[in-house]
Amino acid sequence: MGPRMWILCRTAEKWNIPWREMTKKVLESDVYEVFERIRDPKLVYPDYYLSPFHAYDEGNLSWLAAAEAEPATMSIAKRAIPEATSIEEASQIVRGSWLNTIEEHHQKYSGNCEINDILDIGCSVGVSTRYLAEKFPSAQAVGLDLSPYFLAVAAQKEEKLSRQNPIRWVHANGEATGLPSDSFDLVSLAYVCHECPARAITVLVKEAFRVLRPGGTIALTDNSPKSKVLQELSPVLFTLMKSTEPFLDEYYMLDLEETMRQVGFANVCSILTDPRHRTVTATVPY
């Protein structure tokens, strides 16, 4: 475990997130059988995805990264809302603000287009996908990710849940999903863009535009370049964060809103949905 993950783990356990217990539970489960079912052995990974991420030498293509992803996600929520009295409260604030922003944008700009089909690109271990499925229970949600390890953890957890519309998991590249055009009403990318070079972010936005129906909504949530909390991080913490996020500078330098407009999106809106993160929403015009 690298310095950043060690700090995250120690902090998480102080916040009563059972990091090591959650990790052990995944690694000792039947997730390996799910992996064999979900993996597309023909998938070619983009070069940037093979870089080390978050202090894992194999990046997102490892069991340890997949097993630690959910407690790390829980820690991010508490870090964003330090005054929250529990992890559950912090998660509900962070995710609730994000989901409400999506719903409000869609209601305002979609022209009464209902959310029947959702695509969560870069879904990781399915935390964001499950929140979307719970917010829009009548919709069919699809979680798509490049990591078969993350997807196996997501699918194994989903198999134990009783849901009206079970989430479908797809092992594919978000830049070229292979999914039909005009087939989704909402495309979400949650905490994905800061892990990608600028060229990849642009292609992801183009692919989202292609698979969305007219009136459909894109929602990207991630670190905000305007966050005072992130701007005021100590030099040591900021250097540590950058050392495990190889494309962070490219993400911060990219004008995401303008990129979305150039692709063809309309009604581009960006708001700070918590002290650290922004949500950028936009609509495919009719």
Side-chain angles (χ1 to χ4, degrees):
M1 187 181 289
R4 184 187 177 198
M5 298 312 291
W6 183 81
I7 290 170
L8 274 177
C9 176
R10 286 290 300 274
T11 306
E13 291 183 339
K14 285 180 185 175
W15 290 333
N16 297 316
I17 299 171
W19 182 296
R20 280 173 279 203
E21 184 183 323
M22 291 175 73
T23 300
K24 185 171 182 281
K25 186 177 179 181
V26 170
L27 295 175
E28 293 179 355
S29 71
D30 62 353
V31 72
Y32 308 100
E33 297 169 21
V34 182
F35 174 87
E36 293 303 328
R37 295 200 306 269
I38 215 159
R39 181 175 69 103
D40 177 2
K42 296 178 182 177
L43 185 63
V44 177
Y45 297 100
D47 56 352
Y48 70 84
Y49 197 72
L50 302 174
S51 302
F53 281 106
H54 303 153
Y56 300 109
D57 290 340
E58 296 166 316
N60 293 333
L61 296 173
S62 77
W63 283 118
L64 185 59
E68 292 186 331
E70 186 158 5
T73 300
M74 294 165 72
S75 299
I76 289 168
K78 186 67 170 76
R79 207 173 284 274
I81 314 291
E83 68 275 15
T85 56
S86 67
I87 293 299
E88 291 74 23
E89 182 188 354
S91 296
Q92 286 304 321
I93 292 170
V94 170
R95 299 292 181 168
S97 180
W98 160 65
L99 291 167
N100 289 338
T101 297
I102 292 172
E103 184 177 46
E104 288 166 12
H105 182 101
H106 194 78
Q107 287 174 346
K108 186 173 182 180
Y109 296 111
S110 71
N112 297 319
C113 163
E114 290 186 10
I115 295 179
N116 295 316
D117 296 283
I118 301 169
L119 176 61
D120 189 20
I121 294 177
C123 68
S124 181
V125 293
V127 175
S128 54
T129 325
R130 291 195 295 274
Y131 273 105
L132 288 163
E134 287 158 14
K135 178 70 173 179
F136 306 102
S138 63
Q140 173 63 62
V142 175
L144 181 147
D145 204 273
L146 268 169
S147 172
Y149 301 88
F150 284 23
L151 284 172
V153 173
Q156 195 247 5
K157 184 160 188 171
E158 180 69 13
E159 285 173 3
K160 297 175 182 177
L161 302 175
S162 176
R163 197 187 300 279
Q164 177 187 341
N165 292 315
I167 297 168
R168 183 163 71 93
W169 307 100
V170 176
H171 182 212
N173 186 346
E175 298 172 55
T177 63
L179 298 169
S181 299
D182 304 333
S183 55
F184 293 94
D185 307 298
L186 171 62
V187 172
S188 168
L189 291 97
Y191 313 107
V192 172
C193 292
H194 76 276
E195 295 188 358
C196 302
R199 68 181 189 278
I201 298 172
T202 302
V203 179
L204 285 166
V205 171
K206 287 180 179 177
E207 181 67 353
F209 188 86
R210 183 187 71 80
V211 301
L212 278 165
R213 298 179 178 119
T217 298
I218 185 174
L220 300 93
T221 191
D222 215 314
N223 292 350
S224 173
K226 296 179 181 178
S227 164
K228 290 182 180 178
V229 174
L230 292 177
Q231 289 171 358
E232 292 170 4
L233 280 179
S234 72
V236 172
L237 280 178
F238 189 71
T239 301
L240 189 60
M241 182 171 72
K242 281 185 64 175
S243 71
T244 62
E245 302 282 8
F247 304 111
L248 200 58
D249 283 341
E250 286 195 46
Y251 166 71
Y252 281 137
M253 290 175 68
L254 179 70
D255 187 335
L256 187 56
E257 294 89 341
E258 182 58 27
T259 299
M260 293 163 76
R261 290 188 192 97
Q262 288 180 3
V263 166
F265 281 102
N267 309 313
V268 180
C269 306
S270 180
I271 70 166
L272 202 65
T273 39
D274 68 59
R276 286 174 175 249
H277 305 111
R278 63 175 172 176
T279 297
V280 187
T281 49
T283 311
V284 174
Y286 283 94

